[in-house]
Amino acid sequence: MNPYVLATLLSSLGLGTTLTFASSHWLLAWMGLEVNTLAIVPLMAQHHHPRAVEATTKYFLIQATAAAVILFASTTNAWITGEWNMTNMSDPVATTMILAALSLKVGLAPMHFWMPEVLQGLDLLTGLILSTWQKLAPFALIIQTSQTFDPLLLTALGLTSSLVGGWGGLNQTQLRKVLAYSSIAHMGWMVIILQHAPHLTFLALLMYILMTSAAFLTLKLSYATKVGTLATTWSKAPLLTATTALVLLSLGGLPPLTGFMPKWLILQELAKQDLPLTATVMALAALISLYFYLRLCYVMTLTISPNTATSTTPANQTTQVSAPLALSTLMALGLLPIAPTMQRWVI
């Protein structure tokens, strides 16, 4: 892609997200979401592969549907209340419609069906943008309007997403689909605590972005898109394979890695709010997710591909920039000791 076109599209991505962040008016927020969607569509379809075009079409239709529902619901609310301000959401029907549309945008269960299929059709860098940056603007709107949503509905969305994200990733052989279901499960953790401690939602989103960035960049460096390909990485880059396994365990939430921090704080807050059953179900859902992360670690570190010598995977990937990977991996593995400081910072 032409570097000027690429710079324009990336600037538009930043502009759309910033516009949504800065707005308290539904029309401006909707415009930001639309700019965001229109900027990423050319990036998704840049390879002109049938799978990429199919994924782009699906993504565009889903995002356009969600944006239309947001516009309709905000117009209905403005008609009833007389203003477009986000803080004045007094109509329950409009509020529920906006929550459903924003859930569709970020891929919360049961509006998650597009996410694995779309991510599977993209290259790893575009998939990274879709899994991280594209979540920011809708989540900013969800956090801003969280106090107007039905708490029972938020709890149901969080529990469903965590369970579906764990259950859906169990039998996958494509790494991008595994990461898509991982994203769905993490979204559930963020939503479940939203009504009680929005700052923990922000912390969980930040940690998710760090860990997912490390996972995607590692897979890009090793040219791995299938679970079977991971078996060839140990003989070619043992240090990279070891850090990849640790990043996956961090995504699963094992101590003493970074991913344990948001899960620990969220379960602690749920217990403080006298919700032991919800906390128990979320912990069990995390165990389901941990199983498929352990499966990937097992394939990488404890199995050897029978065709290592004739593998088509290049032995050394020295042409790629590894500084972002090193930084994101370091943060994905070692931020747990500063958890109290980060908790005070996000509050």
Side-chain angles (χ1 to χ4, degrees):
M1 182 177 284
N2 187 297
Y4 296 109
V5 175
L6 182 62
T8 303
L9 293 175
L10 292 177
S11 301
S12 300
L13 270 179
L15 174 66
T17 305
T18 307
L19 186 61
T20 305
F21 280 173
S23 61
S24 59
H25 190 285
W26 274 115
L27 197 58
L28 283 176
W30 172 80
M31 287 172 59
L33 293 173
E34 286 299 282
V35 169
N36 226 347
T37 301
L38 293 175
I40 199 175
V41 163
L43 292 173
M44 295 171 71
Q46 63 180 314
H47 297 295
H48 304 292
H49 190 274
R51 288 300 302 268
V53 174
E54 178 189 345
T56 306
T57 306
K58 288 178 180 176
Y59 181 77
F60 178 76
L61 291 174
I62 290 292
Q63 297 298 310
T65 303
V69 173
I70 289 173
L71 190 60
F72 175 72
S74 55
T75 307
T76 305
N77 186 72
W79 181 35
I80 293 171
T81 62
E83 59 180 43
W84 287 82
N85 201 316
M86 289 181 190
T87 56
N88 189 10
M89 295 288 296
S90 56
D91 183 46
V93 177
T95 305
T96 306
M97 288 176 66
I98 283 179
L99 178 58
L102 293 173
S103 300
L104 182 61
K105 271 194 168 291
V106 298
L108 278 169
M111 283 79 74
H112 68 285
F113 294 100
W114 63 272
M115 181 84 181
E117 298 300 323
V118 167
L119 207 58
Q120 177 59 28
L122 305 177
D123 65 287
L124 287 167
L125 273 185
T126 315
L128 170 61
I129 296 173
L130 183 67
S131 301
T132 55
W133 186 265
Q134 292 298 97
K135 308 282 187 189
L136 293 177
F139 247 99
L141 296 179
I142 291 175
I143 292 174
Q144 274 185 275
T145 54
S146 60
Q147 300 308 314
T148 62
F149 296 142
D150 183 9
L152 188 61
L153 189 57
L154 286 175
T155 303
L157 282 173
L159 289 172
T160 308
S161 297
S162 298
L163 290 169
V164 167
W167 194 261
L170 287 179
N171 203 28
Q172 298 298 329
T173 58
Q174 299 288 338
L175 292 175
R176 283 166 291 188
K177 285 192 176 181
V178 169
L179 289 172
Y181 282 108
S182 167
S183 172
I184 294 166
H186 279 88
M187 294 297 116
W189 280 88
M190 295 172 211
V191 168
I192 198 77
I193 201 63
L194 184 59
Q195 55 195 318
H196 306 296
H199 63 278
L200 288 183
T201 297
F202 177 70
L203 177 65
L205 181 60
L206 184 62
M207 295 300 105
Y208 160 77
I209 288 174
L210 290 176
M211 294 183 292
T212 305
S213 300
F216 269 99
L217 292 173
T218 303
L219 295 179
K220 183 179 183 300
L221 195 67
S222 56
Y223 290 95
T225 56
K226 296 181 180 178
V227 174
T229 316
L230 292 176
T232 66
T233 58
W234 181 257
S235 58
K236 299 179 184 303
L239 183 60
L240 181 66
T241 307
T243 55
T244 305
L246 290 174
V247 167
L248 291 172
L249 293 177
S250 183
L251 274 168
L254 276 188
L257 304 171
T258 301
F260 178 64
M261 185 203 311
K263 289 183 170 60
W264 167 39
L265 295 174
I266 288 171
L267 290 177
Q268 186 181 40
E269 185 64 31
L270 288 173
K272 283 182 183 176
Q273 298 291 335
D274 289 330
L275 296 168
L277 184 60
T278 305
T280 304
V281 174
M282 292 299 291
L284 292 176
L287 285 178
I288 301 174
S289 297
L290 183 60
Y291 173 79
F292 64 75
Y293 294 123
L294 285 172
R295 176 169 159 257
L296 296 181
C297 294
Y298 169 76
V299 171
M300 275 191 299
T301 58
L302 297 175
T303 62
I304 298 177
S305 177
N307 59 342
T308 303
T310 59
S311 172
T312 58
T313 307
N316 294 308
Q317 322 297 342
T318 56
T319 58
Q320 297 190 42
V321 179
S322 56
L325 170 62
L327 184 61
S328 59
T329 302
L330 181 65
M331 290 191 289
L333 299 182
L335 291 185
L336 183 62
I338 60 169
T341 306
M342 293 196 69
Q343 192 179 11
R344 284 196 296 270
W345 176 66
V346 296
I347 291 175

